[in-house]
Amino acid sequence: FKPRIDTYSNRTHERAKVRAYEQRVREVEHGSFTPLVMSLTGGAGPAATICFKRLASLLSEKWDQSYSSTLAWLRCKLSFALLQSSIQCLWGARSAAGRPSRNVLLPVDLVLSEAGFDI
C-alpha cells in the first residue's frame, strides 16, 4: 500500500494505458486518447494535469470567469466525484429512484463562495 504515488509511477501508468488503448482509439474510433491517471490521494498524472488546465481555460473563456476560479471549481468537482465513486464502491449505490438529479451546473462564483474559497 502506497498512499502517495510519485510522478514517475504516474508516468509509468500513463504509458501503460496509452500502449493498451491508443491504437484502437485512433484506428477504430478515429479519435485521440489522454489517460487520466490519479493517485489514491487525488494527485493527477502529467497528462491529466494538462487536460484539466486546458479544460479550465476553455470553460473560463466560455463562462467569462477567471482562470484560477474555474480551475479551482473544476478540481473541487473532480475531488467530490472521485470521493462519491469511492464511497459507492465501498458501500454500494442507492437505487435510481432515491438518487437526486446531478445534472445541474451552478455558477462558478456561487460554488466557490459557498465553499469558502477566496480567489
Side-chain angles (χ1 to χ4, degrees):
F1 174 73
K2 291 183 179 178
R4 292 183 51 154
I5 296 178
D6 58 357
T7 305
Y8 175 77
S9 181
N10 280 345
R11 286 190 190 131
T12 304
H13 290 290
E14 283 181 356
R15 287 186 194 122
K17 294 287 185 188
V18 167
R19 278 194 305 272
Y21 298 109
E22 187 173 33
Q23 182 180 1
R24 185 188 64 83
V25 169
R26 285 182 192 250
E27 292 176 2
V28 176
E29 298 176 14
H30 306 290
S32 63
F33 178 72
T34 302
L36 300 180
V37 175
M38 305 288 179
S39 69
L40 263 170
T41 58
T49 302
I50 293 169
C51 179
F52 296 141
K53 287 181 180 182
R54 174 73 174 142
L55 182 59
S57 174
L58 294 173
L59 288 174
S60 67
E61 289 177 15
K62 181 178 179 179
W63 293 340
D64 195 29
Q65 300 287 330
S66 69
Y67 170 78
S68 60
S69 63
T70 306
L71 184 60
W73 175 81
L74 189 61
R75 287 178 176 162
C76 183
K77 291 289 280 187
L78 176 70
S79 295
F80 279 106
L82 291 173
L83 178 64
Q84 180 184 12
S85 67
S86 298
I87 290 171
Q88 284 182 357
C89 285
L90 291 173
W91 295 99
R94 297 186 299 179
S95 68
R99 188 174 305 142
S101 174
R102 302 203 189 275
N103 295 331
V104 178
L105 286 177
L106 298 174
V108 175
D109 290 337
L110 176 64
V111 172
L112 293 175
S113 65
E114 291 285 326
F117 286 111
D118 287 332
I119 296 178

